[in-house]
Amino acid sequence: MSAVTVRVPAKVNVQLSVGGRRPDGFHDLATVFLAVGLYDHVTATPAEGLRITAAGRDVDRVPLDGTNLAARAAVALAKRYGVEPDVHLHIDKDIPVAGGMAGGSADAAGALVACDALWGLGAPREELLALCADLGSDVPFSLAGGAALGTGRGEILTPLEVGGEFHWVFAVAEGGLSTPDVYRECDRLRRAGGGSDLAADLPAPGADAALVAALREGSAVGLASALSNDLQAASVALRPTLADTLATGLAAGALAALVSGSGPTCAFLAPSAGAATTLAAAFPAAYPALSPAPGATLL
Ligand code: C5P
């Protein structure tokens, strides 16, 4: 095989309920992932050794060494199957870097699927999902796509039914936010409010039944009233201009607004395709996208 390209979607967390900090440093989550039609493409070609190149949005902030999650994915897959990680991975980015939309996770899932095909390994899906979970909490969902409830640290997935298309607009911020920093700020805000931030003291979070029903019914109005993100206050505390971004989208006709994951990308749910176009025009850099979207797909 000479070249393999895999398309992988971004995600938005329509529910992100954060429990306490666990002894391993991660937080218990109940999160509802929704894949959105904004994609990175990962192309694998034969090479001697491992090489990463990138093009597209935010490309200057994509690491091109072994720390890139796509490189780590290729190495992990090669190790698991006892082959050499000989591959050139080219990443074409459309998902914002460090934007709260799982761009790095998408590249890792794409690299796994691309290398599996290039190297002719035929890895079972369960094996790929297990490798994904080792690489990061959001990586299994990048492989799966669609909609799913994520529990544990987000890596344990239960697929959810989606009864219709939703129109989103994503307002991209200048620069990224570090996910660990946002979780740390969330913990700090909890302690500053007089509460505990520890898993031992806090109830385990659960799925929001009204939100799951709205997804199943394909009801944008129902989904809009149920959107929630426990990391939002922390993201806004670290990047106060996000409050203005959220207000701008609401004034421009969004049914609802929230920070995507740990931010700083802001997500707006629009009532129609036309409304999404109008909404996107209210920002210097905003992109309409449909959901749900399929997971990692070999093109
Ligand atoms: O799993 P991933 O490598 O994407 O996580 C990045 C960081 O985000 C973790 O090191 C941790 O600080 C934080 N995190 C967390 N709880 C989760 C997921 C991520 O605290 N459930």
Side-chain angles (χ1 to χ4, degrees), residues 25-29 105 135-138 152-154 179-180 183:
F26 286 92
H27 293 71
D28 283 325
L29 298 185
S105 301
L135 290 161
S137 308
D138 292 343
R153 57 186 169 86
T179 302
Y183 275 100

